[in-house]
Each structure stands twice: as structure tokens, then as C-alpha cells.
Amino acid sequence: MANLLTIPRNDRGYYLNFVMQNNNASVFNLTGYTVTLKVWPPGDPDNLLVSGACEIVSAVAGTC
């Protein structure tokens, strides 16, 4: 199950650190990939709020 993160509207300056995982919860190697964070309001998949590139911290460790 995914964890839920709530950031108040217009609140800025957060760094979101996360690890990409496969379906079996093992680390996904990001070598050769780019990562984009996309955010929609709950229950409204047609209203994209944010779309931006993420910095890969360690491709082998799957961290962004």
C-alpha cells in the first residue's frame, strides 16, 4: 500500500526523498532512466497539478 503525503497548498521548499521499487519491493535500478513527479488532486485524475523532473541521487540504489 502506498504512503500518503500531504503538503499544504502554496507551501514550498520541501525536498521529497524516495526510493523507486519493483512490484516485489526490491530496489529499481534507475540507470538510464529519468524520473518525473506528477501530482493530481485526490479523486481527480484529469486535473494535473504538478509535473516536474526529479533529481536521481543514486541510480543503482533507486533514490531520487
Side-chain angles (χ1 to χ4, degrees):
M1 177 179 278
N3 293 326
L4 181 63
L5 174 67
T6 302
I7 299 175
R9 179 178 294 198
N10 297 323
D11 206 355
R12 303 179 192 281
Y14 287 94
Y15 287 97
L16 304 175
N17 297 301
F18 56 92
V19 176
M20 299 294 289
Q21 296 179 329
N22 291 311
N23 290 339
N24 63 2
S26 63
V27 170
F28 185 86
N29 185 339
L30 295 169
T31 301
Y33 288 89
T34 59
V35 178
T36 302
L37 174 69
K38 294 188 177 194
V39 178
W40 294 265
D44 189 2
D46 296 324
N47 186 18
L48 181 63
L49 298 175
V50 174
S51 180
C54 293
E55 178 182 344
I56 296 174
V57 177
S58 171
V60 175
T63 56
C64 301

